[in-house]
Amino acid sequence: MTSTSANPLNFFSRLGRNAQRGQMDINPLSRALIIVAGTLMTTICVIAFARAALGLSGDLPHLQHLVLVFHVATVIPCVPLGVYLIIAKKGTPMHKQLGKLWVSLMVVTALSTMFLRPGMEMTWIHIFVPITLRAAYLIVAKARRGDIRGHGKEFVSLYLGALMLPGIAAFVLDGRLMNTMLLG
């Protein structure tokens, strides 16, 4: 039997397997997309925070808004944690605990967006709040029912749809905190 170190491609062949009964919880393309998107987003976040910490971002008046700081503090860990949940062994106590933490952080992040604007004013990005709440419920419900494939699909759609898309918007829309931290 060859080890992973003998053939580096063995790592990629294992990415699509679930630890339980060898089933695929999500397809390899979705898994790879999360790994690539999550790793890239994590790297961009680290660069943005490093630039801000080194004073290269200029003024950050956003940081005076406590709810925004709370929102960012709850969403940022979801990016690398989601990648870890995808590549780690499934069904273990650690996977379950970290999965609960991830879902909780996503729900708190979504709910905190309701308080980012005065008077709970809504914008287009608030469409992700009900999407996140629905997907979070389904992730938990499907896992409890033993629908591991459905659980995985809900995770993928929440990760890519309600975490990556608004995350990209946070970096590309001028004036947003992450945009300012990254691009000054």
Side-chain angles (χ1 to χ4, degrees):
M1 180 174 212
T2 62
S3 70
T4 304
S5 61
N7 182 359
L9 296 179
N10 284 345
F11 170 77
F12 294 104
S13 68
R14 287 193 331 239
L15 290 179
R17 280 190 250 134
N18 186 314
Q20 298 172 340
R21 298 178 302 256
Q23 293 178 333
M24 299 265 292
D25 56 340
I26 62 173
N27 68 54
L29 180 59
S30 295
R31 183 178 305 276
L33 191 55
I34 285 179
I35 292 169
V36 170
T39 301
L40 184 58
M41 183 65 77
T42 299
T43 303
I44 292 169
C45 287
V46 168
I47 292 168
F49 279 100
R51 284 182 43 80
L54 294 171
L56 302 174
S57 297
D59 288 338
L60 296 170
H62 312 80
L63 298 179
Q64 295 174 3
H65 195 280
L66 185 59
V67 176
L68 179 60
V69 172
F70 179 77
H71 174 75
V72 171
T74 58
V75 75
I76 294 296
C78 292
V79 178
L81 182 55
V83 173
Y84 176 78
L85 289 168
I86 279 293
I87 62 176
K89 187 175 179 181
K90 310 296 184 281
T92 65
M94 176 72 82
H95 174 83
K96 292 175 183 178
Q97 290 301 314
L98 290 177
K100 289 173 186 175
L101 174 63
W102 188 84
V103 168
S104 298
L105 286 171
M106 288 296 294
V107 167
V108 168
T109 296
L111 294 175
S112 72
T113 65
M114 304 299 292
F115 303 97
L116 288 174
R117 292 183 168 266
M120 297 175 91
E121 178 187 330
M122 302 287 187
T123 66
W124 66 271
I125 205 151
H126 286 93
I127 189 65
F128 294 106
V129 173
I131 291 170
T132 299
L133 298 177
R134 178 187 176 277
Y137 168 77
L138 290 173
I139 286 170
V140 174
K142 289 182 180 193
R144 286 185 176 168
R145 281 196 309 258
D147 178 7
I148 301 307
R149 185 174 297 276
H151 167 78
K153 286 180 181 180
E154 291 298 333
F155 176 86
V156 169
S157 55
L158 182 56
Y159 191 90
L160 295 176
L163 183 59
M164 288 294 112
L165 290 178
I168 292 167
F171 281 105
V172 300
L173 294 178
D174 194 37
R176 307 273 250 153
L177 173 63
M178 299 309 289
N179 173 273
T180 305
M181 287 171 57
L182 182 65
L183 304 175

